[in-house]
């Protein structure tokens, strides 16, 4: 495959990673900036998990890029059976060594506190609770052993319920995202929409990522439409119109030439 590079207005050459998602690459000059982190924000059922998984599956099936999913809210078996509905056989990919699943459903703040207080006992925590520090170490090991190029972390929203203190949560989120940037992988991190509407609240995680994509369900005249907007992609020129997207049994499709509203 011929690598895609983009020369931006500062004459910098930026290597791009095609997402393989119908319509999306077209909106972002060809793909995500390599090695960077993109945040997908969306409400419940918006299709965040499907979109992020499609990025991983296309990566390994079409672009020869191995991938890892770090799941904070779904177990492996559940994820595998859900994704098989789209024809994405992640179980087979795991057996073939092109995909890794990291179960982070046991992550908790208590684990971090215990680990810090009782260093000598921290190894006994493995298998019960998982701290952010341990998760980052496990992810680093998995990226190296697999030689993974794409990572998905789904979903930061799970941390809301586990780190009730906003300062602790912010530290956990920033630690996670910054450590991903150091790993040289192209990453999607998903999170839940905090507040609907034009005046939505900007979240901490938006400041530390390179790109932000918003997915939402819009209600009008008794019908619903799904709308997607690329809100930022540092260094890359973008189509930032709110455009429609659909979910069907082949996954997500985005229609970049159609506009729901113009800014
Ligand atoms: N075959 C299909 N055809 C049409 N829509 C589908 C199909 N499969 C799933 N969906 C839709 O996809 C959505 C779920 O997608 P996904 O699990 O990626 O959402 P999410 O944003 O991750 O949600 P959550 O916040 O619950 O994690 C649902 O709204 C569902 O209606
Ligand atoms: Mg989900």
């Amino acid at each position: 495959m011929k690598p895609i590079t983009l020369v931006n207005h500062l004459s910098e050459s930026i290597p791009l990673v095609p997402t393989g998602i119908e319509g999306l690459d077209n909106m972002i000059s060809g793909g995500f900036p390599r090695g960077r982190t993109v945040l997908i924000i969306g409400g419940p059922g918006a299709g965040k998990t499907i979109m992020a998984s499609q990025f991983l599956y296309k990566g390994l099936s079409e672009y020869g890029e191995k991938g890892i999913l770090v799941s904070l809210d779904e177990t492996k078996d559940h994820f595998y059976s859900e994704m098989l509905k789209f024809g994405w056989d992640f179980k087979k990919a795991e057996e073939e060594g092109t995909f890794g699943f990291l179960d982070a459903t046991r992550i908790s703040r208590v684990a971090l506190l215990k680990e810090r207080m009782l260093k000598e006992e921290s190894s006994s925590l493995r298998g019960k609770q998982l701290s952010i520090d341990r998760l980052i170490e496990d992810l680093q090991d998995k990226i190296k052993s697999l030689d993974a190029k794409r990572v998905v972390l789904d979903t930061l929203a799970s941390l809301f319920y586990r780190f009730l203190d906003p300062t602790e949560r912010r530290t956990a989120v920033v630690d996670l995202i910054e450590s991903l940037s150091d790993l040289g992988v192209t990453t999607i991190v998903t999170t839940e929409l905090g507040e609907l509407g034009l005046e939505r609240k900007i979240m901490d995680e938006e400041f530390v990522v390179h790109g932000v994509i918003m997915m939402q369900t819009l209600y009008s005249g008794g019908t619903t439409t799904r709308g997607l907007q690329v809100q930022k992609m540092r260094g890359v020129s973008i189509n930032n119109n709110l455009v429609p997207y659909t979910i069907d049994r082949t996954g997500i499709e985005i229609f970049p030439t159609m506009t729901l509203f113009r800014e």
Side-chain angles (χ1 to χ4, degrees), residues 39 109 132 155-177 190-192 203-205:
L39 183 71
R109 61 180 286 280
I132 296 270
T155 161
L156 284 182
S158 293
L159 297 177
F160 276 111
Y161 312 108
R162 295 174 208 185
F163 293 75
L164 294 176
D165 175 56
T167 313
E168 267 184 21
R169 183 187 168 275
R170 190 174 306 132
T171 309
V173 165
V174 172
D175 272 2
L176 258 177
I177 293 178
T190 69
T191 197
E192 220 151 82
M203 290 178 276
D204 301 320
E205 40 270 52

Side-chain angles (χ1 to χ4, degrees), residues 35-37 176-185 187 208-210:
R36 307 295 195 197
T37 301
L176 258 177
I177 293 178
E178 289 195 334
S179 64
L180 288 168
S181 312
D182 296 339
L183 298 174
V185 284
T187 306
V208 284
V209 294
H210 290 80

